[in-house]
Amino acid sequence: QVQLVESGGGLVQAGGSLRLSCAASGSIISINRMGWFRQVPGKQREMVAYALGGGKTNYADSVKGRFTISRDDAKNTVDLQMSTLTPADTGTYYCNALIRYKRGSTSDQSDVWGQGTQVTVSS
């Protein structure tokens, strides 16, 4: 009943910038946490940044000062502005959100993942 669709990945040179966007759709009542994770082959998926309702944000130490997360609750979107990229930022980036949605006459809550978008930073 709900889904996340990401866009904005691609290939960039080290030192460059990229902006990822994610839009939630469906019978959404509210979104608690909304953020980004990344994964490289052979490693666990790791949190990059997330934003809670009310404006509180959290970043992985490796991206602090370089990445900025922003969400638009009116549009159910979250963006990740990535700057000063390094090859270590290469990976598949997944949007994630904890969404409460309408389910028949009641509601339910689900931890939803996007399909992933590839970010490749060349040296």
Side-chain angles (χ1 to χ4, degrees):
Q1 283 109 333
V2 292
Q3 65 174 356
L4 299 174
V5 177
E6 303 124 332
S7 60
L11 173 65
V12 64
Q13 288 189 334
S17 299
L18 276 177
R19 188 176 185 89
L20 305 182
S21 296
C22 173
S25 63
S27 303
I28 297 169
I29 297 173
S30 62
I31 301 178
N32 184 341
R33 180 191 70 248
M34 204 169 191
W36 294 90
F37 286 68
R38 68 185 177 195
Q39 188 169 24
V40 296
K43 292 190 177 181
Q44 285 192 334
R45 194 171 295 186
E46 63 173 356
M47 187 275 294
V48 176
Y50 66 81
L52 301 177
K56 181 177 174 63
T57 59
N58 192 38
Y59 295 90
D61 288 342
S62 61
V63 307
K64 283 180 181 176
R66 300 188 299 121
F67 291 12
T68 302
I69 190 169
S70 59
R71 61 184 277 183
D72 185 330
D73 290 337
K75 298 179 180 179
N76 291 328
T77 60
V78 65
D79 290 350
L80 185 68
Q81 178 65 46
M82 306 184 293
S83 303
T84 320
L85 286 160
T86 74
D89 296 313
T90 294
T92 302
Y93 283 69
Y94 295 90
C95 182
N96 170 258
L98 185 61
I99 300 175
R100 179 159 294 280
Y101 59 95
K102 295 178 184 178
R103 186 177 180 183
S105 60
T106 63
S107 68
D108 202 350
Q109 183 168 272
S110 184
D111 196 23
V112 184
W113 292 90
Q115 79 283 0
T117 185
Q118 179 66 33
V119 171
T120 303
V121 184
S122 62
S123 58

